[in-house]
C-alpha cells in the first residue's frame, strides 16, 4: 500500500514537472514573440528611390548613410543622395539615390572626365562651372542626348572673324578650320578675277581679318567723233585773198573698245583693245585765190644791213595756223596754200614789219612773220618742205633791208 502511494506520488511529481516545463517554454515563446513583434513594430518604414526604382524599406538604420550600407549601396562622392547622408532616418521618409555617370568631354582637343547625375547633356553642361558653351559653339552629340555612363561629348568652340566682301564688312562666328571652309560655310563664292588677302588653306584664327576684293572686267565701247581736215585748193578764178567752200566737211565716228577693270565697283584701270571706224570723215575743201607777193625791189632803197643768225620754219609746226602773223594787202598770207611765198620772221624792233628784205642764200622776201625766239639779230626764213627746212639748219647770213 505504501509502495503504491509512493509510486503515485512520484507520478504526480513527474507530471507536475512536465507541466511546469511546458508552461515555462510557453512563456519563453511568448516573450520571444512579443520581443520580435516589438522589434518589428519599432522599425521605420521609408521609401527609397534607387536610380528611378521605388523600394519600400523597414529599417532600424539611424542615418541615411547607414541605410545605404544596409542595402549594400556603395555611394560615391559624386552620387546624388536626398536628403543628405547624415540625415536621421524617420518613418515615412522618402530617400532618393541617383548614382553618378562618367562623361568624357573633349573641348578643342583637351579631354577631361566628369561625373554627373544630370539626365541630359544640356543639364550636365549647365551644372558644370568648368564648361562654358555659347550659342555659336557645336556640341556633339546634341544637347538633348540622354546621359549614360561612359558618354563621350565633343565641344567645338566657335571663333569670330571679320570678313570684308567687296567693301561690305560683317563679323561671323565660325567653326571652320580653314578660310576655304569658312567661305563655303557662308555660301561665299570667289570669281575668276577676285583677290583674297589670305590663302584659302590658311587656318582660321580668332579676330582674323579676311578681305575679298571683287574684280570685274567689262568691255566699254565709246564712240568718238573724228575731226575732218580742211583742204585748200588754189583757184585762179578767185581774186587774191578770197575763198569759197567747195565741199562741206563731215565728222567721222570711231568706236573704241576698252577693257575696264573694276574693283569693288570702282574703275581702277582701262585698256584700249580695239578701234573700229564706223563712219569715215569727209574733208572740207576750200578754194582760195592765190596771193601774189610783190617782191620786186623796184625803186625801194637799201636802208639797213645786218649780219644775222638764220634758221628755217614751215607752215606745219606744232601750234601753227599756217598763216602769217601780219597781213599783206589786208589779208594774212596762208603759207599752206601759197607754198612758194617768200616770207621771213623778224624782230619788229630790228626790222620793221612789211619791209622787203634780202637774205643771203634765200633771196628777196617780205617781213610778215614773227617768232617767240626771234630776238635781235636773228631771222627765220619760210621753207615749205620740212626736210628742206632741216637741211637749211642754222647759219650766219647777210641781210639787207629795203624801204
Amino acid at each position: 500500500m505504501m509502495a503504491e502511494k509512493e509510486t503515485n506520488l512520484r507520478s504526480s511529481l513527474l507530471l507536475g514537472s512536465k507541466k511546469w516545463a511546458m508552461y515555462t517554454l510557453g512563456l519563453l515563446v511568448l516573450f520571444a514573440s512579443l520581443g520580435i513583434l516589438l522589434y518589428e513594430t519599432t522599425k521605420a518604414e521609408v521609401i527609397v528611390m534607387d536610380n528611378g526604382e521605388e523600394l519600400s524599406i523597414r529599417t532600424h538604420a539611424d542615418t541615411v548613410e547607414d541605410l545605404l550600407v544596409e542595402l549594400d549601396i556603395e555611394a560615391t562622392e559624386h552620387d546624388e543622395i536626398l536628403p543628405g547622408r547624415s540625415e536621421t532616418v524617420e518613418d515615412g521618409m522618402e530617400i532618393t539615390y541617383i548614382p553618378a555617370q562618367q562623361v568624357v568631354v573633349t573641348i578643342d582637343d583637351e579631354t577631361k572626365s566628369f561625373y554627373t547625375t544630370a539626365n541630359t547633356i544640356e543639364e550636365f553642361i549647365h551644372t558644370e562651372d568648368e564648361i562654358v558653351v555659347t550659342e555659336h559653339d557645336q556640341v556633339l552629340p546634341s544637347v538633348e542626348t540622354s546621359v549614360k555612363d561612359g558618354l563621350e561629348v565633343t565641344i567645338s568652340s566657335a571663333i569670330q572673324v571679320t570678313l570684308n566682301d567687296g567693301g561690305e564688312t560683317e563679323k561671323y562666328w565660325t567653326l571652320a578650320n580653314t578660310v576655304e571652309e569658312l567661305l563655303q560655310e557662308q555660301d561665299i563664292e570667289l570669281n575668276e578675277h577676285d583677290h583674297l588677302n589670305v590663302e584659302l588653306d590658311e587656318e582660321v584664327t580668332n579676330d582674323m581679318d579676311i578681305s575679298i576684293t571683287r574684280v570685274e572686267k567689262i568691255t566699254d565701247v565709246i564712240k568718238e567723233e573724228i575731226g575732218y581736215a580742211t583742204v585748200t585748193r588754189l583757184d585762179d578764178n578767185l581774186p587774191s585773198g578770197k575763198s569759197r567752200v567747195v565741199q562741206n566737211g563731215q565728222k567721222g565716228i570711231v568706236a573704241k573698245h576698252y577693257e575696264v577693270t573694276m574693283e569693288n565697283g570702282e574703275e581702277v584701270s582701262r585698256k584700249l583693245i580695239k578701234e573700229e571706224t564706223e563712219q569715215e570723215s569727209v574733208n572740207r575743201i576750200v578754194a582760195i585765190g592765190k596771193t601774189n607777193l610783190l617782191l620786186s625791189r623796184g625803186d625801194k632803197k637799201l636802208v639797213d644791213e645786218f649780219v644775222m643768225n638764220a634758221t628755217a620754219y614751215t607752215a606745219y609746226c606744232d601750234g601753227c595756223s599756217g598763216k602769217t602773223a601780219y597781213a599783206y594787202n589786208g589779208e594774212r598770207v596762208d603759207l599752206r596754200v601759197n607754198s612758194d611765198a617768200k616770207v621771213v620772221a623778224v624782230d619788229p624792233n630790228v626790222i620793221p614789219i612789211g619791209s622787203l628784205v634780202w637774205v643771203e642764200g634765200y633771196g628777196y622776201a617780205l617781213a610778215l612773220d614773227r617768232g617767240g625766239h626771234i630776238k635781235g639779230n636773228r631771222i627765220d626764213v619760210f621753207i615749205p618742205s620740212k626736210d628742206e627746212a632741216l637741211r637749211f639748219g642754222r647759219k650766219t647770213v647777210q641781210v639787207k633791208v629795203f624801204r
Side-chain angles (χ1 to χ4, degrees):
M1 189 67 174
M2 286 297 290
E4 184 177 354
K5 287 182 177 181
E6 185 177 349
T7 301
N8 290 334
L9 180 59
R10 287 178 178 177
S11 296
S12 297
L13 289 172
L14 181 60
L15 180 60
S17 297
K18 288 181 177 180
K19 287 182 178 181
W20 176 252
M22 292 296 291
Y23 177 73
T24 300
L25 180 61
L27 288 176
L28 290 173
V29 171
L30 176 61
F31 285 133
S33 298
L34 290 173
I36 293 171
L37 179 61
L38 180 62
Y39 179 79
E40 290 297 324
T41 56
T42 56
K43 284 184 176 181
E45 185 173 357
V46 297
I47 302 297
V48 178
M49 298 296 295
D50 183 4
N51 200 25
E53 181 180 353
E54 183 176 318
L55 301 175
S56 179
I57 305 295
R58 295 181 63 83
T59 182
H60 276 115
D62 293 328
T63 65
V64 172
E65 185 168 16
D66 294 337
L67 174 60
L68 296 179
V69 173
E70 185 179 295
L71 295 176
D72 292 328
I73 295 176
E74 298 180 1
T76 70
E77 59 177 319
H78 306 291
D79 299 339
E80 182 177 348
I81 301 171
L82 295 174
R85 297 170 185 260
S86 61
E87 293 291 326
T88 301
V89 174
E90 298 179 356
D91 191 54
M93 176 182 284
E94 291 188 1
I95 300 171
T96 300
Y97 168 70
I98 303 176
Q101 309 292 328
Q102 184 186 33
V103 178
V104 180
V105 180
T106 300
I107 304 177
D108 300 332
D109 299 329
E110 183 178 344
T111 302
K112 187 174 181 180
S113 293
F114 296 85
Y115 290 88
T116 182
T117 58
N119 293 318
T120 65
I121 292 177
E122 184 174 22
E123 292 178 14
F124 159 65
I125 291 174
H126 287 163
T127 58
E128 289 294 338
D129 294 336
E130 293 184 47
I131 301 176
V132 178
V133 177
T134 71
E135 59 178 317
H136 308 289
D137 299 337
Q138 183 185 62
V139 180
L140 294 176
S142 67
V143 294
E144 293 83 10
T145 303
S146 299
V147 173
K148 61 181 181 180
D149 195 42
L151 177 66
E152 294 183 356
V153 177
T154 300
I155 300 174
S156 299
S157 300
I159 59 177
Q160 191 176 55
V161 299
T162 302
L163 177 61
N164 183 327
D165 186 359
E168 295 183 4
T169 301
E170 192 168 343
K171 292 184 179 294
Y172 293 99
W173 288 95
T174 181
L175 298 167
N177 294 315
T178 65
V179 173
E180 185 173 20
E181 290 178 7
L182 168 65
L183 298 182
Q184 292 174 350
E185 180 182 271
Q186 301 299 330
D187 293 327
I188 297 175
E189 295 183 1
L190 294 177
N191 298 320
E192 178 184 1
H193 303 292
D194 293 342
H195 296 315
L196 191 62
N197 69 326
V198 292
E199 299 296 330
L200 284 172
D201 59 357
E202 189 168 333
E203 182 181 356
V204 175
T205 57
N206 199 36
D207 294 328
M208 187 177 194
D209 287 321
I210 301 172
S211 179
I212 301 173
T213 302
R214 295 294 184 179
V215 181
E216 183 181 8
K217 292 185 180 293
I218 61 175
T219 300
D220 186 18
V221 180
I222 297 179
K223 295 186 179 182
E224 297 181 357
E225 291 183 337
I226 305 173
Y228 57 82
T230 298
V231 178
T232 56
R233 295 176 181 173
L234 292 178
D235 190 337
D236 294 335
N237 297 320
L238 287 176
S240 173
K242 299 299 181 180
S243 64
R244 178 174 60 87
V245 176
V246 178
Q247 175 178 287
N248 289 322
Q250 182 177 346
K251 292 181 178 180
I253 298 176
V254 61
K256 294 185 176 181
H257 297 250
Y258 293 91
E259 181 185 73
V260 182
T261 301
M262 310 285 289
E263 291 186 1
N264 297 339
E266 298 290 333
E267 180 179 332
V268 295
S269 67
R270 63 172 48 221
K271 178 182 178 183
L272 180 63
I273 56 176
K274 184 173 62 173
E275 285 190 29
E276 293 178 331
T277 302
E278 295 187 353
Q279 180 178 311
E280 296 286 353
S281 61
V282 177
N283 289 337
R284 179 173 180 262
I285 301 175
V286 179
I288 298 177
K290 186 174 181 180
T291 300
N292 295 313
L293 298 180
L294 298 177
L295 300 181
S296 173
R297 174 178 173 181
D299 57 354
K300 292 182 173 59
K301 295 180 180 181
L302 178 65
V303 295
D304 225 332
E305 191 170 355
F306 304 94
V307 174
M308 292 186 168
N309 289 321
T311 53
Y313 72 101
T314 71
Y316 296 93
C317 60
D318 292 339
C320 293
S321 66
K323 293 183 178 182
T324 59
Y326 299 97
Y328 176 77
N329 290 336
E331 294 283 345
R332 294 166 59 193
V333 180
D334 191 337
L335 298 177
R336 295 179 182 178
V337 175
N338 299 277
S339 58
D340 57 349
K342 290 282 191 172
V343 173
V344 293
V346 297
D347 182 350
N349 294 319
V350 178
I351 298 176
I353 296 299
S355 297
L356 175 68
V357 299
W358 175 87
V359 180
E360 181 183 357
Y362 184 70
Y364 287 99
L366 286 179
L368 296 178
D369 241 338
R370 67 167 180 256
H373 298 290
I374 307 303
K375 302 292 184 183
N377 283 9
R378 289 194 58 183
I379 194 167
D380 209 356
V381 301
F382 168 68
I383 295 179
S385 168
K386 182 178 180 180
D387 290 338
E388 290 180 23
L390 291 173
R391 283 196 294 270
F392 185 91
R394 181 189 295 270
K395 60 185 67 175
T396 301
V397 297
Q398 184 180 11
V399 177
K400 296 180 180 181
V401 181
F402 298 88
R403 294 295 290 176

